[in-house]
Amino acid sequence: MDTKIRKLSYDGIDRKVIEEAGQILKSGGLVAFPTETVYGLGGDALNPASSGKIYAAKGRPSDNPLIVHIAERSALTQIAANISGKAERLMDAFWPGPLTLIFEKKPLVPDKTTGGLPTVAVRMPSDPIAEALIRAGGGFVAAPSANVSGRPSTTTAAHVAEDLNGRIEMILDGGQAVIGLESTIVDVSAEPPVILRPGAVTKSMLEREIGAVETDKAIIASDSGVRPKAPGMKYRHYAPKAGLTIVEGETERVVSAIRHLTEEAERAGKKVGIIAADETAFRYPAGLVQSLGARSREAEISAHLFEVLRRFDDTEVDCIYSEAFEDAGLGTAIMNRLLKAAGHQVLRV
Ligand code: AMP
Ligand code: MG
């Protein structure tokens, strides 16, 4: 299949391109598109054949449900039942935006889209290209992250093409995704609501709106033995080809431990990658050093994490050491993705 790549500008989104992409969705095809979190791989959420194509294109296990993207609140009542007052408050506060909510599903949503679950995940993205595409595609777009299963999520159209060129009809190029990490997922069919995946909408932001929320134990657990409620969270994600170890502790100790480990590995003939921040990146004389950005600007770290993991796959490094990041606020989402990439391999120094 020949994948068309169409560049779009946010100052004046080309309607013709959006119409063309919308037609592809309506006729059962797949279109990758930018959102404020990461790129999504879109198909018609109400068409089981489209959902089937999404699983096939990604090589994604079909028990891992898809998030349904909508462009207006009125669409929600067609696909979700028993919408709680707390859910309404969260939507008032964070939609459109990087928050996915889990509801009881209505029969309109095919089982194929929800991986057989009686619940449906719904998000209303704020990205204007995403919004226009959802409207043009019929109003309900199923879209997981636009990467091959097991690889880091994609934050540019070029990354999408690396993974999915030839497997989907079209890629809409809207430049770099601003947040760079997938949406926060909150199960509002439970009481109290439960965070199933941390993201840019943090626990304290949620609690400010609705009071206490819980966090799924599988997210906090240091091993992967606890079964997560979001089926996708059980899979090893974002795994770089080289083994990744997170080094955690006081900054000076972390820097000296990574320097030491790098020297040792290089003496043994290995190539080493290092993931650092601007504040410390210049302190590693050996190894292939990549900075995620400044710790003082956490949003830079989240925006670059997947890109850096992806770039290490293009290099010949045998192992990667990463500095740890603070586990609070947006940092909770950053560490969650980093820990998954590392298969929970952490060295405390
Ligand atoms: P992705 O689209 O790649 O960001 O992955 C979507 C995530 O949402 C996966 O971790 C899914 O397991 C999770 N998810 C989707 N639908 C549901 C649902 N009904 N209940 C729980 N988790 C869900
Ligand atoms: Mg994904």
Side-chain angles (χ1 to χ4, degrees), residues 60 64-65 102 117 119 121 144-145 185 196-197 229-233:
R60 178 174 175 124
N64 187 359
I102 308 287
L117 290 179
T119 51
S145 51
I185 302 179
L196 304 188
R197 177 172 74 186
K229 289 208 182 104
M233 298 295 281

Side-chain angles (χ1 to χ4, degrees), residues 1-19:
M1 181 187 307
D2 183 32
T3 303
K4 296 177 188 166
I5 302 181
R6 296 275 188 270
K7 205 168 169 54
L8 287 171
S9 161
Y10 285 93
D11 350 291
I13 299 170
D14 187 336
R15 296 298 319 171
K16 272 217 237 46
V17 173
I18 294 293
E19 282 313 315

Side-chain angles (χ1 to χ4, degrees), residues 74-138:
S74 60
L76 181 66
T77 49
Q78 296 182 55
I79 54 173
N82 292 325
I83 299 163
S84 68
K86 286 184 182 177
E88 298 280 3
R89 293 216 287 286
L90 292 179
M91 290 186 278
D92 289 343
F94 302 112
W95 277 14
L99 176 67
T100 296
L101 298 175
I102 308 287
F103 300 97
E104 265 173 53
K105 93 171 183 72
K106 280 194 175 163
L108 185 64
V109 187
D111 285 338
K112 192 96 189 160
T113 302
T114 63
L117 290 179
T119 51
V120 60
V122 188
R123 182 164 100 84
M124 188 193 294
S126 62
D127 182 287
I129 294 174
E131 189 206 332
L133 177 70
I134 294 163
R135 288 183 194 282

Side-chain angles (χ1 to χ4, degrees), residues 58 60 145 147 153 237:
K58 280 181 63 95
R60 178 174 175 124
S145 51
N147 53 282
S153 298
H237 263 199

Side-chain angles (χ1 to χ4, degrees), residues 170-193:
M170 184 180 277
I171 300 170
L172 297 179
D173 180 355
Q176 193 177 347
V178 176
I179 296 172
L181 299 177
E182 308 86 342
S183 58
T184 304
I185 302 179
V186 178
D187 184 354
V188 286
S189 73
E191 179 50 45

Side-chain angles (χ1 to χ4, degrees), residues 261-273:
L261 288 162
T262 303
E263 273 168 32
E264 237 176 26
E266 288 195 341
R267 259 202 306 275
K270 289 185 182 162
K271 288 208 176 99
V272 180

